Amino acid sequence: MMVAVYGLAFGLVLTGADWSALDEYAMTIFQELAGIAVALVFLFATGRQHLLTRRGCGFLDGLLVGMYPLGLICYSMVVSLTLSRPDSPMRSPLQILTFVVGMFSVGIAEEFLFRAVIAETLLEKFGPSTQGVWKACLLSGLLFGCAHLTNLLGSAPFGVLMQCLFTISIGTLLGAIYFRTGNIWVPVFIHGFMDVSSIIIGGLYGTETVTEAVSNYDASMLSAVLIYILPVLFLLRRKRIGQVALNFQEELAPAQQPPAE
């Protein structure tokens, strides 16, 4: 994904275009399209393309499973729009649309890669037992957090560290929601909505870029780690964790069969 962005910038330079004037969110869309393409290659190459259309518990019921993060996202967005709205005029409708599409494209690319590809693979490896599901959630969340180290290329190191710790907890929670719902579009929607909310003022008014927002992250972000890890305990409690095996029985069946003698 980073190579795709630098490739685009290099191509624009060669053609004499001013790549620095390109909207940041337009660059985000291009970058995430590369991520989506990579994820689709993995899914089709491994015969898992059905994950994109699998209903699981259903999208609306899945949103009920993810109602905790959705509630926090709505609260955060309302607070930002109420208390942090600047006096400057809003950006153009096209720029706002690019912002929303860009943020949701992040949700699509990262959920395809880290949930449909990585978390799915880990679940098949570790199995649907309580221990196996927790291992798959925690490890996929850790990898998701570490992937944000690429932001060191533009943001302040301490802010990136706080973002990585925060996104580890987010990735673990999104993994639990994916396992509980069996529907990849539930974490996609939650992730995209979360990204829009996290920089809603900058996206609507152009007062802050994603790079600047990450640089401004401080130690208060550590409190969010606990906020997003605690609901994982509820989602993967013993009475409900059996739902994971039901949602993924088609993928887990081959791994559960005894080896041929």
Side-chain angles (χ1 to χ4, degrees):
M1 292 164 67
M2 297 299 298
V3 169
V5 171
Y6 286 118
L8 173 63
F10 184 68
L12 292 174
V13 170
L14 288 180
T15 59
D18 183 11
W19 69 271
S20 62
L22 189 64
D23 188 285
E24 178 188 25
Y25 301 109
M27 293 283 283
T28 296
I29 293 173
F30 184 84
Q31 171 180 299
E32 302 307 323
L33 285 175
I36 293 170
V38 170
L40 290 175
V41 168
F42 276 115
L43 289 172
F44 277 87
T46 56
R48 295 176 180 166
Q49 63 271 20
H50 65 281
L51 299 180
L52 302 177
T53 56
R54 184 177 56 190
R55 187 175 184 276
C57 73
F59 181 75
L60 294 180
D61 287 343
L63 292 182
L64 291 177
V65 175
M67 65 185 298
Y68 177 83
L70 283 174
L72 289 178
I73 293 166
C74 290
Y75 172 77
S76 173
M77 184 175 291
V78 169
V79 170
S80 296
L81 292 174
T82 303
L83 302 179
S84 303
R85 189 168 54 188
D87 294 330
S88 58
M90 295 179 67
R91 305 169 79 211
S92 70
L94 179 59
Q95 289 175 317
I96 293 174
L97 178 62
T98 302
F99 157 66
V100 174
V101 173
M103 292 298 96
F104 269 94
S105 69
V106 173
I108 296 173
E110 294 187 349
E111 291 310 303
F112 280 13
L113 285 168
F114 287 95
R115 255 54 72 182
V117 175
I118 294 176
E120 179 89 16
T121 300
L122 292 171
L123 181 66
E124 292 177 17
K125 175 179 175 57
F126 295 130
S129 66
T130 300
Q131 186 179 31
V133 173
W134 270 98
K135 283 182 179 179
C137 276
L138 291 172
L139 185 53
S140 62
L142 177 63
L143 293 173
F144 179 61
C146 290
H148 289 78
L149 288 171
T150 55
N151 290 329
L152 285 170
L153 296 173
S155 299
F158 187 76
V160 174
L161 175 61
M162 292 300 100
Q163 183 193 33
C164 289
L165 294 175
F166 169 68
T167 51
I168 288 173
S169 63
I170 290 293
T172 302
L173 176 58
L174 289 172
I177 292 173
Y178 175 55
F179 289 156
R180 275 289 310 276
T181 63
N183 188 317
I184 189 60
W185 296 103
V186 174
V188 163
F189 177 79
I190 294 173
H191 191 152
F193 191 24
M194 184 180 297
D195 285 348
V196 169
S197 172
S198 67
I199 193 169
I200 185 69
I201 299 301
L204 294 181
Y205 294 92
T207 56
E208 185 180 48
T209 66
V210 174
T211 299
E212 291 169 343
V214 172
S215 294
N216 291 330
Y217 287 163
D218 55 31
S220 65
M221 296 294 292
L222 295 177
S223 63
V225 174
L226 185 61
I227 290 174
Y228 284 104
I229 282 292
L230 284 178
V232 179
L233 298 172
F234 178 77
L235 290 174
L236 300 183
R237 63 194 187 277
R238 187 175 298 276
K239 289 184 178 180
R240 291 293 184 180
I241 204 164
Q243 184 65 43
V244 178
L246 293 176
N247 289 334
F248 295 88
Q249 55 186 336
E250 181 180 344
E251 293 80 14
L252 295 172
Q256 294 174 339
Q257 292 178 356
E261 297 182 358

